[in-house]
Amino acid sequence: MNNSQRRMNSVIFNPFTAGILEMRSRGGGLVFSEHDVMETPLMMTRHRSKLWQASSSLTSSCFLSNKVPTEGQQQGCWEVQSQLRARKACISREKEFMERRWKDLRVGDFVKIVCNEIVPADLLLLHTSDPKGVCLIETANLDGETNLKQRRVVSGLCISDPEFEPESFNSIVVCEKPNINLNHFKCYVEDPDKEKVGAGLESLLLRGCTVRNTDHAVGFVVYAGHETKSMLNNNGPRYKRSKLERKLNIDVIFCVILLLVMCLIGAVGHSLWLQALPTVPPYLVPQSTGQLDSPALSGFYMFFTMIILLQVLIPISLYVSIELVKIVQIFLITNDVDLYDEETDSRMQCKALNITEDLGQIEYIFSDKTGTLTENKMVFRRCSIMGTEYPHKENAIRLTVLDEPESEEEVIFNQRPQPSRTGWSLDPEDTNPKDNQHPPCSRHKGRVSGNAQRDVAFSSPLETEVIPDRKLLQQISGAECSGRQLIDPYLDFFLALAICNTVVVSMATASRRRVSWLPHHRHTNNPLDTMSSLVKRAGSFCHTFTSGQRKPMQKRYRSEDSVVEEDINPPLKIETTENTNELQTRSPRATSDNLSYEAESPDEAALVYAANAYGFTLLARTPDSVTVRLPSGEDLVFEVLDTLAFDSNRKRMSVLVRHPITRECVLYTKGADYAIMELLGTPYAEHLSGSQKNIAADTQHHLDCYAKEGLRTLCITKKVVSDKVYESWSLNRQRAQAAIENREELLVETALQLETNLSLLGATGIEDRLQENVPDTIVALREAGIQVWVLTGDKPETAVNISYACRLLEEEDLVINMSCKNKLICTSILDSTLEEVRRYGEDPRNVDTTPDISLVIDGRTLAMVLSSDLQDRFVDLAKRCRSVLCCRVTPLQKSSVVKLVREKLKVMTLAVGDGANDVNMIQAADIGIGISGQEGMQAVMASDFAISHFKHLKKLLLVHGHWCHTRLANMIIYFFYKNVAYVNLLFWYQFYCGFSGTAMIDYWLMIFFNLFFTSVPPVMFGIMDKDISAEMLMGVPELYRTGQGRGEYNPKTFWVSILDAFYQSLVCFFIPYLAYQDSDIDVFTFGTPLNTISLFTILLHLSIEIKTWTLVHWVVMLGSVALYFIVTLAYSAICITCNPPSNPYWILQSQMADPMFYLVCIITTVVALLPRYVFHVLRNSIAPSPLMQARHLDRLDPSSRDQWIKEWRSFRGGGHVKRSRLSTPPSPTLETPVDIYPQSPTASDIAEDDFALNVITNYQRPEHTRNKDVLAS
């Protein structure tokens, strides 16, 4: 195929087929099918091409999905893109590789990527160096996740040849049109026999990903350039305007109106002045015809002259000053040591340069729970198998020790070695709880050994170390010894934990070679840490050696055949399988110590580590098989028939495997308890009989207990599928995978067909511990007047327990629990509850009481109240609640709630989250904050600010938010005052010069006044002024309330400053005018004192407003005065004809020799500033504001101040606030939970639906008092 033929190939985009892109390759050439009449050429393709690029540290930030580059990053991002597009690569022509640029890559090219290289386009994976057709990729450039993800070759296309020949590919590739959805991909490959094979996201290499631990991979370009998914997600910067900026723009419009009014007065005054002249004055120059302009025309011209003269009234320089102040404020925030996280070596990130002041006006905070309030480090705590609960007390003791103020790394280091995971000893000393207690050590806060430098996510000792339950260990050992391993449910339970996941297994010794794109972590040079690491490695080596000695015999079963292989511990073993003809090299023997698990979620990692603790070790995972080592040392290789991935609708995941011994098709399923229990029938499985019914009921009881303790729960099930059912189902599954239209619906339908009549094995309880100082942070935010809402996908019991632990809910709170299915009942409950809450607030007997009302609502009910007819009532109820907890909510509901509150209540909102499911919520709020946690960097990339822990929110808002808002608000008000006060001097002079637009001050000095003399002080004021210290703001969170609502900068303060500027300008003009009246001074001699007086007045006015004086303040203020006199004296001495015909020569020198000059300056300045000074003195003496009181306390010595804060907080916390129960309404009762029978729904409606409304006063901790839902049916 020559070059001319190659250029004729084209890609057809057909709008009548919903954007289906079809590509065909036959006989070494690509042919593209035509299905409809209309054809739109999309781009040219090139065949038999291979593109590669060398490993480089130049990684474009423009690849990042959901990452919004700031305005300051745009130029750098463009430069990086240009360099990437121009990078050389190799393209094959006639079986030879030739260099080409990235920008030359086209749809239809075959691209070969080697290890550690970045994928240049969206590729459909056709071939890899791995015999199983697996390619491991790292998606850190897309979502920030460093754990490896597995991609597989399109089913049926795996070529075992070492090299891939593009001309051998003769299939048609059909895929959907380019879109921004990173989590879905629809495609199928049609071979020459017209057989279609579906392909999805599991076979797609996205642009920006990095190939890891794979020698090479070959892919077919389906999207290139700006049509790749990562580039489509890069929509440029989101520009957010702060609340203060919006107010500023309105006030600038007022200034424009004021300027027009002043110019109109000048134009009308000039016209009237000309009409009042008895004769034509000699200084008016006539036109060439000898006639003068009419007074009206002269007044019209004078209007524009006045605009030029008074245009300083419009504060254009204010916008530049604001940007400078914000840049310095961001610098100060990002360099705050208290916001630095030593564990991850990361600091606060500011991605939005123009909304820092909004941090000081937040009224509502919407927070995720998992990973935001909690650590997202999942710790296996308890499990229930076949209706029997195993509390894992020894493991709880270990976690209790870790909770103490000790070092996690030293606690784990000093543990005595656990029994080998390939065999156990049930001697008493091996399972004695006393032996599992560890000596006390010093704890380093939040730090786990090696966490800062580890490559694998969810692999801290806290998560990986699990101490088995002795009773369960004996149960499993008994099943092993009795030979019941084929049918024993306990073994099936742990096999399900090891198999039903997407964990990638790799050898811990095979370190990952990386292209460095993240900042290097801080490495420690502590010799104690080095010695500890060496001893640990030595202990691990000895442990591995002894394990091998204890279990020399090994059996390995493969599901492909019945071959049983024996391995008497040789140094090297080559295994040959009959069916696959593959060679497997195994040695040294894989143990749990040298395996590394890379999971996509911490839940999966916790379950795999739990199974590993009981000897069920996940050894390997390929697209077609999973290898698990049993406690006896046998290796079982399960053939993977299909994987039903987790989705938000099903809330579960299933893996269909063929058992290597029984040859049965077994479906292992894990998922949310309510989703699994529905597949067993009713929640308590009444349709079952005998022991099965008891198992389901007991397991449900254990699940409820786990939820009360705040544990995350999962149910584990098993189902044996007959071969006939599997073959029929497999055909439907293949048709669904090959579909383009409605693929997701068809795949879910096929999954539902198989996930029925499941056999319950048990349940697990995983703990997600609270982050450090979360309760203190929430309490401080609530005291600051901020309402905190938690939006989570967890079940209500778990969410309520965590809410009590983090003090979102208090024990004395009145908790309203809304849960219903029917909208009519929901409406009735909402109306009755809202009416009772209103009645309570309007009751005169409750004037001095403080109702602490909290609302708990589930996702199903939330969907009802978010409807247009119930929105207003729901918002009215929610705003009367101190805290709101929304459970079982979807990402879309999170963003809907944020938008609803922001638009209905007109309040400033802040959303904080750490995962991809929080991105919509973060972008919907006025300020979005991402937490760089365990779930990747999607939230960070989409946020305006990024922090490491939730506790950092306290100082970010209470201190930096208050400072940023106060500084900018006061600076803006001062800027308006300064411009109006100075411009009015020129305006008052017009009344004495015939409104002729003449200025009594030299033009150059007027320019220098705003450019040099008074430009630096307000900027310094906006950067460095500190009204209250950080300690006081953190100790008294109530001070934050002063910035909420209208804040420091509001219409009242604006117009007061404008009126004060008018007053001061009148004083500054008329006192010198009266002093020099009837004298023979010239116009500039009169204007020089006015200019000097204006400078002193404006600077001293700022001195009154400055709260904290530092050396910088003194230097700037005195420097401005000195600069004024130096420049003016030099200008008066040098510039004789700088601005003809005016002559400012030696004017200031003459004035400074006259005592009248000093007297006028002093008296005028004092009179001008006296009202403001007296007002401040009276206000601070008679009715001091909270901020003024805090400033008085700041003047105390630190010990006295801290003691006062401590006593004040103790008094506030211990003070008895009168709390009165709500008066009993007709329905529901708020005294105790009772049945509710609203009047509006019909009896049939009530019979068809379940609903619950729990209103509980003095609610006790869930682990002590169980919350009984009120159900009516």
Side-chain angles (χ1 to χ4, degrees):
M1 182 176 177
N2 55 32
N3 294 338
S4 61
Q5 290 175 322
R6 189 176 293 113
R7 283 191 292 269
M8 292 178 62
N9 296 330
S10 61
V11 177
I12 304 301
F13 170 73
N14 200 321
F16 290 101
T17 58
I20 294 179
L21 180 65
E22 184 169 296
M23 297 161 280
R24 176 181 300 169
S25 176
R26 287 182 178 174
L30 289 177
V31 182
F32 300 91
S33 300
E34 303 173 6
H35 288 298
D36 297 292
V37 179
M38 286 194 62
E39 300 173 358
T40 305
L42 184 62
M43 59 181 70
M44 300 300 293
T45 84
R46 297 180 181 178
H47 180 49
R48 292 183 298 176
S49 60
K50 184 251 183 192
L51 186 145
W52 63 274
Q53 52 94 19
S55 177
S56 170
S57 61
L58 182 64
T59 302
S60 173
S61 64
C62 304
F63 290 152
L64 301 181
S65 159
N66 294 326
K67 179 172 182 178
V68 182
T70 59
E71 298 176 20
Q73 295 173 329
Q74 293 303 299
Q75 183 63 29
C77 184
W78 172 257
E79 293 175 359
V80 171
Q81 270 195 358
S82 301
Q83 295 180 39
L84 288 173
R85 293 177 69 247
R87 182 182 294 174
K88 293 292 183 67
C90 287
I91 296 180
S92 66
R93 289 188 177 180
E94 304 300 334
K95 299 184 180 181
E96 293 182 0
F97 298 138
M98 303 181 64
E99 286 191 353
R100 288 293 182 271
R101 294 182 175 89
W102 276 35
K103 66 179 181 180
D104 296 328
L105 188 62
R106 297 291 183 268
V107 172
D109 286 348
F110 292 94
V111 179
K112 183 176 182 181
I113 306 296
V114 299
C115 185
N116 293 328
E117 288 188 348
I118 300 175
V119 180
D122 291 349
L123 308 179
L124 184 66
L125 188 59
L126 301 180
H127 173 77
T128 70
S129 59
D130 183 78
K132 295 291 186 178
V134 174
C135 176
L136 299 178
I137 62 172
E138 181 184 89
T139 59
N141 287 3
L142 293 178
D143 53 24
E145 296 182 3
T146 57
N147 54 300
L148 297 184
K149 296 179 176 60
Q150 196 177 82
R151 295 294 182 264
R152 63 184 68 179
V153 172
V154 178
S155 177
L157 297 180
C158 183
I159 302 174
S160 59
D161 297 337
E163 296 294 334
F164 175 79
E165 298 295 336
E167 52 267 17
S168 65
F169 182 76
N170 56 359
S171 301
I172 300 175
V173 177
V174 180
C175 63
E176 61 183 345
K177 68 178 181 179
N179 57 74
I180 63 174
N181 196 333
L182 288 167
N183 300 317
H184 294 281
F185 174 64
K186 301 176 183 178
C187 174
Y188 70 82
V189 179
E190 182 178 347
D191 60 18
D193 298 332
K194 302 298 182 180
E195 185 174 340
K196 297 180 181 180
V197 177
L201 190 66
E202 70 279 356
S203 300
L204 183 67
L205 303 182
L206 293 175
R207 174 176 176 171
C209 298
T210 305
V211 176
R212 302 289 189 198
N213 297 5
T214 305
D215 291 339
H216 67 268
V218 178
F220 183 81
V221 178
V222 291
Y223 307 125
H226 289 278
E227 292 183 339
T228 57
K229 290 180 177 290
S230 58
M231 294 296 289
L232 289 175
N233 275 273
N234 183 15
N235 295 323
R238 292 179 297 111
Y239 182 77
K240 287 186 177 181
R241 287 194 309 163
S242 67
K243 184 178 181 180
L244 190 142
E245 281 185 354
R246 294 193 292 268
K247 292 180 181 178
L248 171 63
N249 293 336
I250 296 175
D251 289 339
V252 168
I253 295 176
F254 284 130
C255 288
V256 172
I257 296 175
L258 181 61
L259 173 64
L260 295 178
V261 171
M262 295 170 66
C263 294
L264 183 61
I265 293 174
V268 174
H270 183 68
S271 177
L272 296 177
W273 180 75
L274 289 178
Q275 293 177 6
L277 292 175
T279 58
V280 178
Y283 52 81
L284 294 180
V285 181
Q287 298 180 0
S288 57
T289 59
Q291 296 181 353
L292 294 173
D293 294 333
S294 64
L297 184 59
S298 297
F300 178 76
Y301 291 153
M302 187 54 58
F303 179 83
F304 297 99
T305 303
M306 295 292 290
I307 288 180
I308 297 174
L309 179 66
L310 307 178
Q311 50 86 23
V312 182
L313 187 64
I314 308 300
I316 302 301
S317 60
L318 173 59
Y319 290 92
V320 179
S321 301
I322 289 176
E323 295 302 321
L324 292 176
V325 170
K326 288 182 177 181
I327 290 175
V328 179
Q329 286 180 347
I330 290 175
F331 174 80
L332 297 176
I333 294 176
T334 55
N335 287 275
D336 189 342
V337 178
D338 293 336
L339 302 181
Y340 168 77
D341 181 44
E342 186 178 3
E343 178 185 353
T344 59
D345 192 20
S346 60
R347 60 182 180 178
M348 167 79 186
Q349 300 178 42
C350 295
K351 303 187 175 188
L353 302 179
N354 56 333
I355 58 174
T356 54
E357 63 273 20
D358 279 347
L359 292 172
Q361 295 189 282
I362 300 300
E363 298 173 75
Y364 279 77
I365 290 181
F366 300 89
S367 173
D368 181 37
K369 184 187 74 68
T370 304
T372 303
L373 301 180
T374 61
E375 293 180 344
N376 204 17
K377 291 183 178 179
M378 305 302 176
V379 181
F380 184 84
R381 288 295 305 271
R382 313 180 73 164
C383 68
S384 173
I385 304 177
M386 301 303 293
T388 303
E389 207 272 333
Y390 299 95
H392 289 74
K393 297 180 180 179
E394 294 84 358
N395 196 47
I397 294 174
R398 180 185 71 92
L399 297 175
T400 303
V401 173
L402 291 180
D403 282 334
E404 296 175 358
E406 299 174 355
S407 172
E408 286 183 353
E409 52 230 274
E410 296 190 9
V411 168
I412 295 171
F413 175 72
N414 285 284
Q415 289 187 58
R416 51 176 313 209
Q418 296 301 319
S420 171
R421 296 194 167 75
T422 56
W424 303 302
S425 171
L426 292 179
D427 296 334
E429 61 268 22
D430 289 334
T431 56
N432 190 351
K434 296 181 180 179
D435 295 336
N436 294 318
Q437 298 180 8
H438 316 291
C441 311
S442 60
R443 181 179 183 184
H444 188 70
K445 291 183 179 180
R447 201 171 174 188
V448 182
S449 177
N451 267 4
Q453 301 177 19
R454 71 179 188 268
D455 287 341
V456 182
F458 323 124
S459 61
S460 68
L462 177 68
E463 300 165 284
T464 59
E465 296 289 338
V466 177
I467 300 178
D469 185 90
R470 182 178 182 180
K471 180 181 177 182
L472 181 56
L473 204 59
Q474 293 174 342
Q475 182 73 32
I476 297 175
S477 178
E480 284 281 329
C481 297
S482 62
R484 293 184 286 109
Q485 62 269 24
L486 300 183
I487 58 175
D488 190 81
Y490 288 87
L491 302 185
D492 273 327
F493 177 83
F494 286 102
L495 282 176
L497 296 187
I499 292 175
C500 190
N501 52 69
T502 59
V503 174
V504 177
V505 185
S506 61
M507 299 297 291
T509 55
S511 60
R512 191 186 312 178
R513 295 170 295 168
R514 297 187 172 210
V515 177
S516 177
W517 71 281
L518 287 173
H520 293 290
H521 295 302
R522 183 181 61 81
H523 295 275
T524 177
N525 295 322
N526 190 339
L528 295 178
D529 294 342
T530 306
M531 180 63 66
S532 174
S533 178
L534 292 175
V535 175
K536 288 179 185 179
R537 293 182 183 179
S540 176
F541 175 77
C542 296
H543 178 64
T544 304
F545 179 78
T546 56
S547 298
Q549 293 290 337
R550 290 164 61 181
K551 286 291 178 180
M553 299 297 293
Q554 179 183 356
K555 296 181 181 180
R556 183 176 182 89
Y557 296 90
R558 294 190 61 87
S559 60
E560 290 86 348
D561 48 47
S562 300
V563 176
V564 179
E565 301 180 0
E566 296 185 357
D567 180 11
I568 312 180
N569 204 23
L572 182 63
K573 174 81 176 181
I574 298 179
E575 301 178 1
T576 305
T577 58
E578 297 177 359
N579 297 340
T580 61
N581 296 323
E582 68 174 282
L583 297 178
Q584 295 184 354
T585 302
R586 292 177 44 249
S587 186
R589 177 183 174 186
T591 66
S592 59
D593 292 331
N594 58 13
L595 289 178
S596 176
Y597 297 136
E598 306 208 32
E600 296 186 15
S601 70
D603 300 80
E604 286 191 342
L607 296 179
V608 171
Y609 286 122
N612 188 28
Y614 284 92
F616 295 82
T617 304
L618 178 63
L619 295 181
R621 179 182 299 277
T622 68
D624 302 324
S625 66
V626 176
T627 305
V628 179
R629 176 168 296 162
L630 298 182
S632 61
E634 297 174 317
D635 290 357
L636 297 184
V637 182
F638 293 82
E639 179 188 357
V640 178
L641 303 178
D642 209 328
T643 300
L644 310 181
F646 176 88
D647 64 71
S648 57
N649 295 323
R650 291 167 44 245
K651 296 290 185 182
R652 56 186 176 270
M653 172 192 178
S654 299
V655 174
L656 183 63
V657 298
R658 186 177 297 278
H659 200 284
I661 300 179
T662 63
R663 310 300 300 163
E664 294 177 332
C665 296
V666 181
L667 180 73
Y668 290 110
T669 304
K670 70 174 182 181
D673 53 350
Y674 68 92
I676 296 295
M677 287 300 182
E678 290 176 353
L679 304 178
L680 305 176
T682 60
Y684 290 95
E686 282 83 359
H687 71 290
L688 300 177
S689 60
S691 60
Q692 285 292 327
K693 180 176 180 180
N694 295 333
I695 290 173
D698 292 342
T699 303
Q700 182 65 53
H701 173 69
H702 296 155
L703 287 170
D704 294 338
C705 294
Y706 293 170
K708 296 298 182 182
E709 295 180 5
L711 303 182
R712 297 165 63 91
T713 57
L714 286 175
C715 284
I716 311 298
T717 64
K718 172 189 174 182
K719 177 183 179 181
V720 177
V721 182
S722 65
D723 292 339
K724 182 178 180 180
V725 172
Y726 166 68
E727 292 174 359
S728 174
W729 177 85
S730 179
L731 294 177
N732 296 332
R733 184 72 174 179
Q734 291 177 6
R735 283 193 291 266
Q737 290 175 339
I740 293 292
E741 298 294 332
N742 302 322
R743 170 183 286 189
E744 286 79 8
E745 292 78 2
L746 293 175
L747 290 176
V748 171
E749 183 179 347
T750 58
L752 295 177
Q753 292 174 0
L754 200 62
E755 295 172 335
T756 57
N757 299 323
L758 304 179
S759 298
L760 183 63
L761 295 176
T764 61
I766 300 176
E767 180 185 15
D768 188 10
R769 308 199 304 179
L770 281 179
Q771 292 185 19
E772 185 181 5
N773 293 334
V774 167
D776 294 339
T777 302
I778 290 182
V779 170
L781 295 175
R782 198 160 51 212
E783 292 171 354
I786 300 174
Q787 291 199 30
V788 182
W789 291 32
V790 173
L791 314 177
T792 178
D794 284 348
K795 61 188 304 182
E797 294 84 358
T798 303
V800 167
N801 185 276
I802 295 296
S803 299
Y804 277 101
C806 69
R807 298 193 64 181
L808 178 75
L809 303 178
E810 300 285 359
E811 294 184 0
E812 65 273 11
D813 282 359
L814 185 143
V815 181
I816 302 174
N817 189 355
M818 294 185 61
S819 177
C820 57
K821 296 180 182 180
N822 188 286
K823 189 174 181 180
L824 292 176
I825 299 179
C826 178
T827 303
S828 175
I829 292 175
L830 188 61
D831 290 339
S832 61
T833 306
L834 181 59
E835 179 64 27
E836 178 58 26
V837 172
R838 287 174 178 169
R839 185 189 311 163
Y840 177 86
E842 297 171 357
D843 192 341
R845 296 174 298 175
N846 301 326
V847 173
D848 297 331
T849 60
T850 305
D852 291 336
I853 303 174
S854 298
L855 175 65
V856 179
I857 185 171
D858 61 9
R860 184 173 50 198
T861 310
L862 184 63
M864 301 177 192
V865 299
L866 289 179
S867 58
S868 57
D869 55 331
L870 297 181
Q871 283 183 359
D872 294 333
R873 281 176 275 186
F874 169 68
V875 172
D876 192 11
L877 174 62
K879 74 179 182 181
R880 301 172 188 270
C881 298
R882 188 182 65 174
S883 302
V884 177
L885 174 62
C886 302
C887 313
R888 295 295 192 194
V889 295
T890 64
L892 183 60
Q893 285 179 323
K894 290 183 179 183
S895 62
S896 300
V897 169
V898 175
K899 292 177 182 178
L900 177 66
V901 173
R902 188 189 64 188
E903 295 171 0
K904 293 290 185 180
L905 299 182
K906 306 298 180 183
V907 293
M908 293 295 296
T909 58
L910 181 147
V912 54
D914 73 314
N917 59 335
D918 303 318
V919 169
N920 293 335
M921 175 180 69
I922 288 174
Q923 294 182 338
D926 294 294
I927 292 182
I929 294 183
I931 294 182
S932 52
Q934 300 277 319
E935 295 187 12
M937 301 292 287
Q938 300 98 320
V940 171
M941 294 171 182
S943 64
D944 304 307
F945 301 90
I947 57 179
S948 301
H949 299 286
F950 185 81
K951 65 178 181 179
H952 292 161
L953 204 61
K954 180 179 179 181
K955 186 170 186 181
L956 179 63
L957 296 183
L958 302 187
V959 178
H960 291 290
H962 174 82
W963 282 348
C964 290
H965 170 71
T966 303
R967 290 166 176 172
L968 274 176
N970 292 331
M971 188 194 75
I972 291 174
I973 294 172
Y974 175 77
F975 241 101
F976 281 117
Y977 150 79
K978 177 176 72 74
N979 288 358
V980 172
Y982 190 71
V983 167
N984 278 351
L985 295 177
L986 305 175
F987 179 70
W988 303 134
Y989 181 70
Q990 301 307 308
F991 287 90
Y992 298 93
C993 67
F995 298 96
S996 59
T998 305
M1000 68 290 193
I1001 304 172
D1002 185 84
Y1003 286 108
W1004 280 108
L1005 293 179
M1006 289 173 55
I1007 295 173
F1008 291 159
F1009 189 89
N1010 282 312
L1011 187 61
F1012 297 121
F1013 307 150
T1014 60
S1015 60
V1016 179
V1019 174
M1020 174 271 306
F1021 178 54
I1023 293 174
M1024 301 194 64
D1025 190 45
K1026 186 186 298 184
D1027 56 347
I1028 305 174
S1029 66
E1031 294 77 12
M1032 182 61 66
L1033 289 171
M1034 295 280 283
V1036 187
E1038 284 82 353
L1039 297 174
Y1040 183 84
R1041 298 172 184 260
T1042 58
Q1044 293 176 335
R1046 297 192 298 179
E1048 298 273 349
Y1049 177 42
N1050 52 65
K1052 177 182 177 181
T1053 56
F1054 171 76
W1055 288 111
V1056 167
S1057 64
I1058 295 298
L1059 294 176
D1060 192 20
F1062 269 91
Y1063 164 77
Q1064 292 185 18
S1065 64
L1066 286 169
V1067 173
C1068 293
F1069 179 82
F1070 282 102
I1071 289 182
Y1073 173 79
L1074 297 176
Y1076 290 104
Q1077 193 175 18
D1078 299 330
S1079 64
D1080 57 352
I1081 60 173
D1082 60 86
V1083 62
F1084 283 164
T1085 304
F1086 172 67
T1088 300
L1090 291 179
N1091 207 28
T1092 306
I1093 293 170
S1094 179
L1095 176 72
F1096 284 135
T1097 303
I1098 289 174
L1099 293 181
L1100 289 176
H1101 179 103
L1102 180 61
S1103 301
I1104 297 175
E1105 299 299 327
I1106 292 177
K1107 310 302 187 303
T1108 304
W1109 282 86
T1110 64
L1111 180 61
V1112 177
H1113 290 80
W1114 286 105
V1115 170
V1116 171
M1117 300 294 284
L1118 298 179
S1120 297
V1121 175
L1123 182 64
Y1124 168 77
F1125 282 100
I1126 293 173
V1127 172
T1128 306
L1129 289 172
Y1131 179 80
S1132 300
I1134 298 173
C1135 292
I1136 301 175
T1137 59
C1138 293
N1139 189 23
S1142 61
N1143 184 4
Y1145 179 72
W1146 217 251
I1147 290 179
L1148 183 58
Q1149 287 83 342
S1150 301
Q1151 287 286 330
M1152 295 181 68
D1154 185 6
M1156 178 66 72
F1157 171 79
Y1158 299 100
L1159 185 62
V1160 169
C1161 289
I1162 294 174
I1163 294 176
T1164 304
T1165 303
V1166 171
V1167 174
L1169 296 176
L1170 187 61
R1172 172 165 287 269
Y1173 184 78
V1174 171
F1175 171 75
H1176 277 280
V1177 171
L1178 294 178
R1179 185 185 63 178
N1180 297 335
S1181 301
I1182 299 175
S1185 64
L1187 294 178
M1188 178 54 60
Q1189 297 178 14
R1191 281 198 290 270
H1192 286 308
L1193 293 174
D1194 258 341
R1195 298 189 184 122
L1196 302 176
D1197 59 278
S1199 60
S1200 301
R1201 180 189 59 199
D1202 295 341
Q1203 182 65 24
W1204 184 91
I1205 294 176
K1206 183 178 179 180
E1207 293 177 357
W1208 177 80
R1209 294 183 66 87
S1210 175
F1211 173 78
R1212 181 191 56 189
H1216 297 283
V1217 181
K1218 180 182 177 183
R1219 297 181 184 275
S1220 174
R1221 296 179 184 269
L1222 305 185
S1223 55
T1224 305
S1227 174
T1229 263
L1230 301 185
E1231 181 81 14
T1232 55
V1234 295
D1235 292 339
I1236 305 168
Y1237 299 96
Q1239 300 299 324
S1240 55
T1242 62
S1244 60
D1245 293 331
I1246 297 178
E1248 294 173 357
D1249 190 27
D1250 290 340
F1251 66 96
L1253 173 65
N1254 301 346
V1255 186
I1256 306 164
T1257 59
N1258 296 327
Y1259 190 98
Q1260 300 298 322
R1261 293 282 181 173
E1263 54 265 30
H1264 302 304
T1265 302
R1266 184 171 180 178
N1267 181 6
K1268 298 181 180 180
D1269 291 344
V1270 182
L1271 299 177
S1273 59

